[in-house]
């Protein structure tokens, strides 16, 4: 098990900037707005020559447990329980605050190794200002700058000394044991974080009736009921582009789209009471354009009165507006009560198998010949197109390459016919299918 390093401190002291700098890439959203980070974020990073699990947390604030800051603090305290080392961040520009002193006193009682990072300590004056942090009673503060990278060499050395001894090297994971990458996407307040908590069986993500609680994409490693690893990513809700005005929300949207590009399966969470609207369809089309398999989690199913009518409505919308994902799998469930949640992962695994399936060339060309026999290619410019053979160069998503004379001129309606015929022949519902058309050159065309 990798040693766990947890970054903590009050809001807006630069925890996420330090986290990104230590991780070696931009993972957490950084903005001048206090409280941008609301859920803890984890990443495997190489620090001081060792692989560690680095954890970014929400800002520590004194608030009632039922408020958003109170829930953020509870999430940070939960991260602390498994920490091997705590990086307690203070801001030397503003100086120590009563909150810094109170949380330092609380940290001393936890019995965890702590390094005090005096952040924003650029230049000589910043290093001098960092000396104030001695009075926290947590040891000598390290003057660093997360924005500029000052002091990170010494920080790596201090982390190396503070971590527990390195265990014996274990064998690397087999490719078959790589985690399934799963992104949970949808509109704001559809129940994405509640669904992630229901899958994990713990209050991992902050939830509540307030829309937009999740502002960043948060990845969690998990072992499902089959004993196989899964990398779950909870994302911020995607709104229509015209409604995205603040820079912070633009960054949240960019992080969600990046998570969608990196995943293998996208679980689209839809509010079953409101039904699928145009924004849900936009998100599904975005996932399809990225080549991701999609499973629809029809959430809040327990609150639907006429369930047959709700099923018919979603089927009609999918048939009329998502024809390119015909047969997409839908799982009615209630993330709040847990009812039906146990059906989601088997459905996800089923979609993954379809998305990852490769068809042998012989079977593919038998289908191709039959499809051409049933409906001949159309005339283009008075000449019939001659399609010769098909191959499947890749899966993930299923991709068909068709070769023939002037194949690239094949009309869109005949392309759709081939894709739908392929889906039916090989039972591939609900996944994107790519069709690549490759024409053959005529050696006498220049003559």
């Amino acid at each position: 098990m990798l040693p766990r390093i947890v970054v903590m401190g009050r809001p807006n002291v630069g925890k996420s900037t330090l986290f990104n700098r230590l991780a070696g890439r931009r993972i957490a959203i950084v903005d001048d707005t206090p409280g941008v980070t609301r859920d803890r974020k984890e990443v495997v990073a190489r620090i001081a020559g060792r692989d560690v699990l680095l954890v970014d947390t929400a800002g520590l604030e004194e608030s009632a447990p039922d408020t958003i800051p109170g829930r953020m603090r509870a999430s940070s305290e939960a991260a602390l329980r498994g920490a091997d080392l705590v990086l307690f961040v203070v801001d030397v520009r503003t100086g120590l605050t009563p909150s810094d002193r109170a949380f330092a006193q609380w940290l001393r009682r936890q019995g965890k190794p702590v390094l005090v990072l005096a952040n924003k300590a650029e230049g000589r004056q910043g290093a001098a200002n960092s000396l104030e942090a001695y009075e926290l009673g947590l040891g000598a503060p390290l003057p660093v700058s997360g924005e500029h990278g000052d002091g990170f060499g010494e920080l790596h050395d201090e982390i190396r000394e503070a971590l527990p001894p390195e265990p014996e090297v274990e064998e690397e994971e087999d490719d078959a044991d790589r985690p399934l990458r799963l992104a949970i996407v949808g509109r704001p307040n559809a129940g994405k974080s509640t669904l992630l908590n229901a899958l994990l069986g713990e209050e991992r993500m902050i939830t509540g009736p307030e829309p937009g609680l999740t502002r960043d994409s948060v990845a969690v490693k998990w072992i499902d009921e089959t004993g196989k690893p899964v990398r779950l990513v909870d994302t911020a809700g995607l709104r229509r582009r015209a409604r995205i005005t603040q820079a912070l929300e633009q960054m949240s949207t960019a992080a969600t789209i990046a998570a969608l590009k990196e995943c293998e399966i996208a679980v689209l969470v839809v509010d079953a009471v409101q039904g699928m609207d145009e924004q849900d369809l936009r998100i599904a089309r975005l996932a399809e354009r990225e080549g991701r398999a999609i499973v629809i989690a029809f959430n809040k199913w327990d609150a639907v009165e006429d369930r047959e009518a709700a099923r018919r409505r979603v089927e009609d919308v999918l048939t009329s507006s998502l024809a390119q994902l015909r047969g997409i799998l839908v799982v009615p469930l209630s993330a709040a009560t847990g009812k039906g949640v146990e059906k989601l992962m088997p459905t996800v695994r089923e979609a993954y198998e379809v998305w990852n399936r490769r068809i042998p060339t012989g079977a593919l060309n038998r289908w191709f010949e039959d499809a051409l026999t049933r409906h001949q290619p159309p005339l283009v410019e008075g000449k019939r197109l001659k399609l010769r053979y098909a191959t499947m160069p890749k899966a993930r998503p299923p991709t068909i390459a068709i070769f023939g004379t002037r194949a690239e001129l094949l009309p869109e309606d005949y392309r759709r016919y081939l894709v739908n015929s392929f889906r039916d022949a090989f039972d591939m519902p609900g996944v994107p299918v790519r069709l690549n058309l490759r024409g053959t050159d005529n050696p006498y065309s220049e003559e």
Side-chain angles (χ1 to χ4, degrees):
M1 182 179 295
L2 295 178
R4 180 184 293 257
I5 300 176
V6 179
V7 184
M8 305 189 78
R10 62 179 174 82
N12 221 34
V13 295
K15 298 184 299 299
S16 294
T17 304
L18 283 162
F19 174 82
N20 288 342
R21 177 75 65 172
L22 284 167
R25 58 191 188 276
R26 185 186 178 280
I27 299 171
I29 288 178
V30 177
D31 191 76
D32 290 336
T33 307
V36 170
T37 302
R38 287 178 170 173
D39 297 288
R40 60 187 186 268
K41 179 181 284 291
E42 300 177 353
V43 66
V44 175
R46 188 77 174 174
I47 299 176
R50 292 183 60 177
D51 288 331
V52 302
L53 186 65
L54 189 63
V55 183
D56 189 22
T57 62
L60 294 168
E61 296 183 73
E62 292 284 359
S63 300
D66 56 342
T67 63
I68 293 177
R71 283 176 270 168
M72 290 161 60
R73 178 177 175 178
S75 176
S76 299
E77 291 175 356
L80 177 67
R81 286 194 286 271
D84 295 296
L85 176 64
V86 178
L87 304 182
F88 184 58
V89 186
V90 297
D91 184 347
V92 301
R93 292 179 188 169
T94 59
L96 293 184
T97 67
S99 293
D100 289 326
R101 294 181 173 90
F103 288 120
Q105 185 178 3
W106 170 72
L107 272 176
R108 288 200 301 270
R109 296 196 298 266
Q110 307 308 309
K112 299 285 186 180
V114 179
L115 290 178
V116 178
L117 305 189
N119 193 30
K120 308 180 186 179
E122 299 88 357
R124 294 181 180 178
Q125 189 59 43
N129 293 339
S130 68
L131 299 177
E132 183 186 13
Y134 267 104
E135 67 183 79
L136 296 176
L138 291 169
L142 291 173
V144 297
S145 171
E147 184 174 359
H148 300 284
D150 297 349
F152 270 67
E154 185 178 356
L155 175 57
H156 278 240
D157 294 338
E158 291 291 335
I159 289 174
R160 183 187 297 111
E161 294 296 324
L163 287 177
E166 191 169 4
E168 295 182 3
V169 178
E170 297 179 359
E171 294 184 2
E172 295 184 359
E173 267 189 343
D174 188 85
D175 286 347
D177 296 327
R178 286 184 302 175
L180 169 67
R181 299 194 301 274
L182 182 65
I184 301 176
V185 297
R187 286 181 286 152
N189 221 32
K192 300 181 295 298
S193 296
T194 306
L195 176 58
L196 185 142
N197 289 343
L199 288 169
L200 297 180
E202 62 172 289
E203 292 298 312
R204 175 62 177 81
M205 302 296 295
I206 295 173
T207 60
E210 306 91 345
L213 279 178
T214 302
R215 286 178 169 173
D216 203 349
S217 298
V218 179
V220 181
K221 287 188 176 180
W222 172 57
I223 303 297
D224 69 6
E225 66 278 359
T226 65
K228 296 180 179 178
V230 180
R231 185 177 182 270
L232 282 170
V233 180
D234 186 26
T235 63
L238 286 173
R239 299 200 299 166
R240 290 203 301 270
R241 184 178 299 176
R243 294 186 177 181
I244 300 173
T245 56
Q246 298 180 359
L248 178 56
E249 189 173 3
Q250 291 173 354
M251 288 188 287
S252 297
T253 300
T256 298
I257 294 173
L260 196 56
K261 290 180 178 180
E262 293 175 2
C263 75
E264 295 169 321
I265 309 292
V267 174
L268 174 58
V269 182
V270 176
D271 189 326
V273 177
Q274 299 180 11
M276 290 195 75
D277 71 356
E278 185 57 34
Q279 180 61 8
D280 293 313
L281 294 172
R282 286 194 186 97
I283 297 170
R285 293 185 190 113
L286 176 60
E288 190 272 337
R289 285 198 300 271
E290 296 297 336
R292 305 304 170 220
I294 304 172
V295 173
I296 294 179
F298 218 36
N299 192 28
K300 307 180 185 179
W301 189 242
D302 55 324
V304 176
E305 295 181 359
D306 191 343
R307 296 185 176 180
E308 286 300 320
R311 285 181 185 273
R312 286 195 299 270
R313 282 196 297 271
V314 72
E315 288 173 1
D316 290 343
V317 171
L318 292 174
T319 301
S320 60
S321 302
L322 280 179
Q324 69 271 39
L325 289 171
R326 196 175 70 182
I328 191 169
L329 300 173
V330 180
V331 182
L333 54 83
S334 171
T337 65
K339 190 171 183 180
V341 173
E342 74 282 355
K343 299 177 182 177
L344 180 61
M345 284 309 299
T347 306
V348 166
R349 293 284 181 189
E350 180 183 344
Y352 177 77
E353 291 298 325
V354 173
W355 182 72
N356 202 36
R357 185 185 304 162
R358 187 180 290 274
I359 306 300
T361 302
L364 186 67
N365 278 284
R366 285 191 293 274
W367 155 77
F368 186 52
E369 291 173 6
D370 181 64
L372 296 181
T373 301
R374 282 187 282 118
H375 293 286
Q376 287 190 358
L379 296 173
V380 175
E381 299 175 353
K383 298 180 181 179
R384 190 169 301 281
L385 301 181
K386 295 182 180 179
L387 305 181
R388 304 189 184 281
Y389 65 96
T391 63
M392 190 173 182
K394 65 183 288 290
R396 306 164 64 91
T399 302
I400 315 165
I402 294 179
F403 296 81
T405 305
R406 301 193 304 159
E408 70 278 3
L409 301 179
L410 200 64
E412 184 61 32
D413 56 349
Y414 198 81
R415 298 184 190 203
R416 286 197 299 269
Y417 158 70
L418 289 175
V419 169
N420 290 332
S421 173
F422 174 80
R423 287 187 195 280
D424 293 339
F426 298 107
D427 191 22
M428 288 194 167
V431 298
V433 175
R434 299 288 186 258
L435 187 64
N436 295 334
L437 301 170
R438 303 181 184 179
T440 55
D441 295 330
N442 183 352
Y444 304 104
S445 59
E446 293 184 0
E447 298 180 9

